[in-house]
C-alpha cells in the first residue's frame, strides 16, 4: 500500500505529467508479472490487486508518446498469460477473484482499458478473435451493484 501511495504522490508532485521520457524497463514488467503469478497461485486478492495496479500506475507515469511502446511491451511479455496458455484460463482466474474483491475488479478493468488503447493490446485481449475478456467485463454480474440499482430504480 505504501508503494502505491508513493507512486501516486510522485504523479501529484509532477502535476500529472510523466516523470521521464524513458520506457519502463523490461525487468520491472517481469517483476510485476512474477508478483502477479505468485499472488494468483495463492489466490491472494490484495496481492493481485497491488500487482495489477502497479502495472497501471506505470502506464500513467510514462509520457503519452511512449504509451504504445509500453502496451506493446506488456503484450510481448504476455502479462495475462493469454499466449502462453493459448486461451483465457489465467484471466478467468483473475475474473473469479474480481467477483469477490472490488479492488481486483477495479484493477483488472483498468489494466484491460490500458491494453485496449493500442491496436496490439486489442489483438491481445481478443486472442484469435475471441471476445471473452470483453464479454466478461460487460457481464451484468460484473457491473457494480449501485449501477444496477440505478438502472432498475423507477
Amino acid at each position: 500500500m505504501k508503494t502505491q501511495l508513493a507512486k501516486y504522490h510522485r504523479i501529484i508532485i509532477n502535476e500529472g505529467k510523466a516523470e521521464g521520457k524513458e520506457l519502463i524497463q523490461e525487468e520491472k514488467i517481469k517483476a510485476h508479472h512474477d508478483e502477479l503469478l505468485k499472488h494468483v497461485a495463492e489466490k491472494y486478492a490484495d496481492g493481485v490487486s497491488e500487482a495489477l495496479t502497479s502495472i497501471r500506475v506505470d502506464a500513467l507515469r510514462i509520457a503519452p508518446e511512449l504509451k504504445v511502446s509500453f502496451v506493446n511491451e506488456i503484450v510481448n511479455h504476455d502479462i495475462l498469460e493469454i499466449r502462453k496458455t493459448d486461451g483465457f484460463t489465467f484471466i478467468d482466474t483473475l475474473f473469479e477473484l474480481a467477483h469477490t474483491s472490488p479492488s481486483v475488479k477495479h484493477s483488472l478493468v483498468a489494466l484491460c482499458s490500458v491494453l485496449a488503447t493500442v491496436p496490439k493490446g486489442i489483438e491481445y485481449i481478443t486472442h484469435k478473435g475471441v471476445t471473452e475478456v470483453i464479454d466478461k467485463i460487460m457481464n451484468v454480474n460484473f457491473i457494480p451493484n449501485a449501477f444496477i440499482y440505478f438502472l432498475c430504480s423507477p
Side-chain angles (χ1 to χ4, degrees), residues 48-97:
V48 170
S49 176
E50 181 68 29
L52 292 171
T53 301
S54 294
I55 297 165
R56 182 178 51 108
V57 168
D58 284 346
L60 293 172
R61 290 180 50 216
I62 64 171
E65 59 270 12
L66 296 175
K67 186 83 66 188
V68 172
S69 297
F70 177 76
V71 171
N72 288 341
E73 192 63 38
I74 291 174
V75 170
N76 290 339
H77 199 71
D78 196 16
I79 200 83
L80 296 175
E81 301 273 309
I82 293 172
R83 291 186 181 138
K84 183 178 179 184
T85 61
D86 196 31
F88 301 98
T89 54
F90 181 76
I91 202 163
D92 285 343
T93 305
L94 291 173
F95 277 111
E96 287 172 18
L97 285 170

Side-chain angles (χ1 to χ4, degrees), residues 8-140:
Y8 284 126
H9 178 71
R10 284 195 304 269
I11 292 170
I12 291 169
I13 288 174
N14 290 326
E15 297 175 356
K17 297 179 186 137
E19 288 181 356
K21 297 286 184 185
E22 63 276 348
L23 188 59
I24 304 299
Q25 297 175 347
E26 186 178 341
E27 296 82 31
K28 192 169 186 179
I29 293 174
K30 182 175 177 3
H32 290 318
H33 185 229
D34 292 343
E35 181 183 351
L36 180 62
L37 290 174
K38 175 184 154 204
H39 293 307
V40 168
E42 297 169 349
K43 300 218 184 271
Y44 178 54
D46 290 340
V48 170
S49 176
E50 181 68 29
L52 292 171
T53 301
S54 294
I55 297 165
R56 182 178 51 108
V57 168
D58 284 346
L60 293 172
R61 290 180 50 216
I62 64 171
E65 59 270 12
L66 296 175
K67 186 83 66 188
V68 172
S69 297
F70 177 76
V71 171
N72 288 341
E73 192 63 38
I74 291 174
V75 170
N76 290 339
H77 199 71
D78 196 16
I79 200 83
L80 296 175
E81 301 273 309
I82 293 172
R83 291 186 181 138
K84 183 178 179 184
T85 61
D86 196 31
F88 301 98
T89 54
F90 181 76
I91 202 163
D92 285 343
T93 305
L94 291 173
F95 277 111
E96 287 172 18
L97 285 170
H99 282 289
T100 58
S101 171
S103 63
V104 172
K105 181 188 301 186
H106 173 77
S107 299
L108 183 57
V109 171
L111 177 60
C112 289
S113 72
V114 167
L115 288 168
T117 62
V118 174
K120 192 170 182 179
I122 294 170
E123 288 175 20
Y124 180 64
I125 62 174
T126 58
H127 182 66
K128 295 184 177 179
V130 178
T131 60
E132 181 176 331
V133 173
I134 296 167
D135 295 341
K136 286 190 180 213
I137 289 172
M138 300 304 293
N139 184 341
V140 173

